[in-house]
Coordinates of all heavy atoms in Angstrom, one line a residue:
A233 N 180.8 -9.5 -7.5 CA 181.2 -9.2 -8.9 C 182.5 -9.9 -9.2 O 183.4 -9.9 -8.4 CB 181.3 -7.7 -9.2
P234 N 182.7 -10.4 -10.4 CA 183.9 -11.1 -10.8 C 185.1 -10.1 -10.8 O 185.0 -9.0 -11.2 CB 183.7 -11.7 -12.2 CG 182.2 -11.6 -12.4 CD 181.7 -10.5 -11.5
L235 N 186.2 -10.7 -10.3 CA 187.5 -9.9 -10.4 C 188.2 -10.1 -11.7 O 188.3 -11.2 -12.2 CB 188.4 -10.3 -9.2 CG 187.9 -10.1 -7.8 CD1 188.8 -10.7 -6.8 CD2 187.8 -8.6 -7.5
R236 N 188.7 -9.0 -12.3 CA 189.4 -9.0 -13.5 C 190.8 -8.5 -13.2 O 191.0 -7.3 -13.1 CB 188.7 -8.2 -14.6 CG 189.3 -8.3 -16.0 CD 188.6 -7.4 -17.0 NE 187.3 -8.0 -17.3 CZ 187.0 -8.7 -18.4 NH1 188.0 -9.0 -19.2 NH2 185.8 -9.1 -18.6
P237 N 191.8 -9.4 -13.1 CA 193.1 -8.9 -12.7 C 193.7 -7.9 -13.7 O 193.4 -7.9 -14.9 CB 194.0 -10.2 -12.8 CG 192.9 -11.3 -12.6 CD 191.7 -10.8 -13.3
D238 N 194.5 -7.0 -13.1 CA 195.2 -6.0 -13.9 C 196.3 -6.5 -14.7 O 197.5 -6.4 -14.4 CB 195.6 -4.8 -13.0 CG 196.1 -3.6 -13.8 OD1 195.9 -3.6 -15.0 OD2 196.8 -2.8 -13.2
V239 N 196.0 -7.3 -15.8 CA 197.0 -7.9 -16.6 C 196.8 -7.3 -18.0 O 195.7 -7.3 -18.5 CB 196.8 -9.4 -16.6 CG1 197.7 -10.1 -17.7 CG2 197.1 -10.0 -15.2
P240 N 197.9 -6.9 -18.7 CA 197.8 -6.4 -20.1 C 197.1 -7.4 -21.0 O 197.4 -8.6 -21.0 CB 199.3 -6.2 -20.5 CG 200.0 -6.0 -19.2 CD 199.3 -6.9 -18.2
G241 N 196.1 -6.9 -21.7 CA 195.3 -7.7 -22.6 C 194.0 -8.3 -22.1 O 193.2 -8.8 -22.8
F242 N 193.8 -8.3 -20.7 CA 192.6 -8.8 -20.2 C 191.4 -8.0 -20.4 O 190.3 -8.4 -20.1 CB 192.8 -9.1 -18.7 CG 193.5 -10.4 -18.3 CD1 194.0 -11.2 -19.3 CD2 193.6 -10.8 -17.0 CE1 194.6 -12.4 -19.0 CE2 194.2 -12.0 -16.7 CZ 194.7 -12.8 -17.7
E243 N 191.6 -6.8 -21.0 CA 190.5 -6.0 -21.4 C 189.9 -6.3 -22.8 O 188.9 -5.8 -23.2 CB 190.9 -4.5 -21.4 CG 191.7 -4.0 -22.5 CD 193.2 -4.5 -22.4 OE1 193.6 -5.1 -21.4 OE2 193.9 -4.3 -23.4
R244 N 190.6 -7.3 -23.5 CA 190.2 -7.6 -24.8 C 188.8 -8.3 -24.9 O 188.4 -8.9 -23.9 CB 191.2 -8.5 -25.5 CG 192.6 -7.8 -25.7 CD 193.6 -8.8 -26.3 NE 194.9 -8.2 -26.6 CZ 195.2 -7.5 -27.7 NH1 194.3 -7.5 -28.7 NH2 196.3 -7.0 -27.9
P245 N 188.1 -8.2 -26.0 CA 186.8 -8.7 -26.1 C 186.7 -10.3 -26.0 O 185.6 -10.8 -25.7 CB 186.3 -8.2 -27.5 CG 187.5 -7.9 -28.2 CD 188.5 -7.4 -27.2
N246 N 187.8 -11.0 -26.3 CA 187.8 -12.4 -26.2 C 188.3 -12.9 -24.8 O 188.6 -14.1 -24.7 CB 188.5 -13.1 -27.3 CG 190.0 -12.6 -27.4 OD1 190.3 -11.6 -27.0 ND2 190.8 -13.4 -28.1
V247 N 188.3 -12.0 -23.8 CA 188.5 -12.4 -22.4 C 187.2 -12.2 -21.7 O 186.7 -11.1 -21.6 CB 189.6 -11.5 -21.8 CG1 189.8 -11.9 -20.4 CG2 190.9 -11.7 -22.6
H248 N 186.7 -13.3 -21.1 CA 185.4 -13.3 -20.5 C 185.5 -13.6 -19.0 O 186.4 -14.4 -18.5 CB 184.5 -14.4 -21.1 CG 184.2 -14.1 -22.5 ND1 182.9 -13.8 -22.9 CD2 184.9 -14.1 -23.7 CE1 182.9 -13.6 -24.2 NE2 184.1 -13.7 -24.7
T249 N 184.5 -13.1 -18.2 CA 184.3 -13.5 -16.9 C 182.9 -14.2 -16.9 O 182.1 -14.1 -17.9 CB 184.2 -12.4 -15.8 OG1 183.3 -11.4 -16.3 CG2 185.6 -11.7 -15.7
L250 N 182.6 -15.0 -15.9 CA 181.3 -15.7 -15.8 C 180.7 -15.5 -14.5 O 181.1 -16.1 -13.5 CB 181.5 -17.2 -16.1 CG 180.3 -18.1 -16.1 CD1 179.3 -17.6 -17.1 CD2 180.6 -19.5 -16.3
R251 N 179.6 -14.8 -14.5 CA 178.8 -14.6 -13.3 C 177.3 -14.7 -13.6 O 176.5 -15.3 -12.8 CB 179.1 -13.2 -12.7 CG 178.4 -12.9 -11.4 CD 178.8 -13.7 -10.2 NE 178.1 -13.4 -9.0 CZ 178.3 -14.0 -7.9 NH1 179.2 -15.0 -7.8 NH2 177.7 -13.7 -6.8
S252 N 176.9 -14.1 -14.7 CA 175.5 -13.9 -15.0 C 175.1 -14.8 -16.2 O 175.9 -15.4 -16.9 CB 175.2 -12.5 -15.4 OG 175.8 -12.1 -16.6
L253 N 173.8 -14.9 -16.4 CA 173.3 -15.7 -17.5 C 173.7 -15.0 -18.8 O 174.0 -15.7 -19.8 CB 171.8 -15.8 -17.4 CG 171.0 -16.7 -18.4 CD1 171.6 -18.1 -18.3 CD2 169.5 -16.7 -18.1
E254 N 173.7 -13.7 -18.8 CA 174.2 -12.9 -20.0 C 175.7 -13.2 -20.3 O 176.0 -13.4 -21.4 CB 174.0 -11.4 -19.7 CG 174.3 -10.5 -20.9 CD 174.0 -9.1 -20.6 OE1 174.4 -8.6 -19.5 OE2 173.4 -8.4 -21.4
D255 N 176.5 -13.4 -19.2 CA 177.9 -13.8 -19.4 C 177.9 -15.2 -20.1 O 178.8 -15.4 -20.9 CB 178.6 -13.8 -18.1 CG 178.8 -12.5 -17.4 OD1 178.8 -11.5 -18.2 OD2 179.0 -12.4 -16.2
A256 N 177.1 -16.1 -19.6 CA 177.1 -17.4 -20.2 C 176.7 -17.4 -21.6 O 177.3 -18.1 -22.5 CB 176.1 -18.3 -19.4
D257 N 175.7 -16.6 -22.0 CA 175.3 -16.4 -23.4 C 176.5 -16.0 -24.2 O 176.7 -16.5 -25.3 CB 174.2 -15.4 -23.5 CG 172.9 -15.8 -22.9 OD1 172.7 -17.0 -22.8 OD2 172.0 -15.0 -22.6
A258 N 177.2 -15.0 -23.7 CA 178.4 -14.5 -24.5 C 179.5 -15.5 -24.6 O 180.1 -15.6 -25.7 CB 178.9 -13.2 -23.8
L259 N 179.7 -16.3 -23.6 CA 180.7 -17.3 -23.6 C 180.3 -18.4 -24.5 O 181.2 -19.0 -25.3 CB 180.9 -17.8 -22.2 CG 182.1 -18.7 -21.9 CD1 183.4 -18.2 -22.5 CD2 182.3 -19.0 -20.4
I260 N 179.1 -18.8 -24.6 CA 178.6 -19.9 -25.5 C 178.8 -19.4 -26.9 O 179.3 -20.2 -27.8 CB 177.1 -20.2 -25.2 CG1 177.0 -21.0 -23.9 CG2 176.6 -21.1 -26.3 CD1 175.6 -21.1 -23.4
A261 N 178.4 -18.2 -27.2 CA 178.6 -17.6 -28.6 C 180.1 -17.6 -29.0 O 180.4 -17.9 -30.1 CB 178.0 -16.2 -28.6
A262 N 180.9 -17.2 -28.0 CA 182.3 -17.1 -28.3 C 182.9 -18.5 -28.5 O 183.8 -18.7 -29.4 CB 183.1 -16.4 -27.2
A263 N 182.5 -19.5 -27.8 CA 183.0 -20.8 -27.9 C 182.7 -21.5 -29.2 O 183.4 -22.3 -29.7 CB 182.4 -21.7 -26.7
E264 N 181.6 -21.1 -29.8 CA 181.2 -21.6 -31.1 C 182.3 -21.3 -32.2 O 182.5 -22.1 -33.1 CB 179.9 -21.1 -31.6 CG 178.7 -21.7 -30.7 CD 177.4 -21.2 -31.2 OE1 177.4 -20.3 -32.2 OE2 176.3 -21.6 -30.7
K265 N 183.0 -20.2 -32.0 CA 184.0 -19.8 -33.0 C 185.4 -20.1 -32.6 O 186.4 -20.0 -33.3 CB 183.9 -18.3 -33.2 CG 182.5 -17.8 -33.7 CD 182.5 -16.3 -33.7 CE 181.1 -15.8 -34.1 NZ 181.1 -14.3 -34.1
A266 N 185.6 -20.6 -31.3 CA 186.9 -20.9 -30.8 C 187.3 -22.3 -30.9 O 186.5 -23.2 -30.9 CB 187.0 -20.5 -29.3
R267 N 188.6 -22.6 -31.1 CA 189.1 -23.9 -31.1 C 189.8 -24.2 -29.8 O 189.8 -25.3 -29.2 CB 190.1 -24.1 -32.2 CG 189.5 -24.1 -33.6 CD 190.5 -24.1 -34.7 NE 191.4 -22.9 -34.6 CZ 192.5 -22.7 -35.3 NH1 192.9 -23.6 -36.2 NH2 193.2 -21.6 -35.2
S268 N 190.5 -23.2 -29.2 CA 191.3 -23.4 -28.0 C 190.8 -22.4 -26.9 O 190.6 -21.2 -27.2 CB 192.8 -23.2 -28.2 OG 193.0 -21.9 -28.8
V269 N 190.6 -22.9 -25.7 CA 190.2 -22.1 -24.6 C 191.2 -22.1 -23.5 O 191.6 -23.2 -23.1 CB 188.8 -22.6 -24.1 CG1 188.3 -21.7 -22.9 CG2 187.8 -22.6 -25.2
A270 N 191.6 -21.0 -22.9 CA 192.4 -20.9 -21.7 C 191.6 -20.4 -20.6 O 190.9 -19.4 -20.7 CB 193.6 -20.0 -22.0
V271 N 191.7 -21.2 -19.5 CA 191.0 -20.8 -18.2 C 192.0 -20.3 -17.3 O 193.0 -21.1 -16.9 CB 190.2 -21.9 -17.6 CG1 189.5 -21.5 -16.3 CG2 189.1 -22.4 -18.6
V272 N 191.9 -19.1 -16.8 CA 192.9 -18.5 -15.9 C 192.3 -18.6 -14.5 O 191.3 -18.0 -14.2 CB 193.2 -17.0 -16.2 CG1 194.2 -16.5 -15.2 CG2 193.8 -16.9 -17.6
G273 N 192.9 -19.5 -13.7 CA 192.4 -19.7 -12.3 C 191.8 -21.1 -12.2 O 190.9 -21.5 -12.9
A274 N 192.3 -21.9 -11.3 CA 191.9 -23.3 -11.0 C 190.9 -23.3 -9.9 O 190.9 -24.2 -9.0 CB 193.0 -24.2 -10.8
S275 N 190.0 -22.3 -9.9 CA 188.9 -22.3 -8.8 C 187.8 -23.2 -9.2 O 187.8 -23.9 -10.3 CB 188.3 -20.9 -8.8 OG 187.8 -20.5 -10.1
F276 N 186.8 -23.3 -8.4 CA 185.6 -24.2 -8.7 C 185.0 -23.7 -10.0 O 184.7 -24.5 -10.9 CB 184.6 -24.2 -7.6 CG 185.0 -25.1 -6.4 CD1 185.4 -24.5 -5.2 CD2 184.9 -26.4 -6.5 CE1 185.7 -25.3 -4.1 CE2 185.3 -27.3 -5.5 CZ 185.7 -26.7 -4.3

């Protein structure tokens, strides 16, 4: 399961993890409305 660091604000609805197809659906939908994306973590 994806780790969600204990950082203030990371519980907000526009903060996503990506593990499942459902997560990808949510991220694609969110990206349609977003102009800027921040990725936390330079992992693969």
Side-chain angles (χ1 to χ4, degrees):
L235 294 172
R236 188 179 289 262
D238 186 16
V239 172
F242 275 6
E243 75 286 352
R244 292 179 179 273
N246 56 339
V247 178
H248 294 248
T249 57
L250 179 58
R251 181 70 179 176
S252 67
L253 191 54
E254 189 176 43
D255 292 338
D257 290 338
L259 190 50
I260 290 169
E264 289 182 357
K265 303 174 184 178
R267 292 173 300 174
S268 57
V269 179
V271 177
V272 180
S275 59
F276 283 108

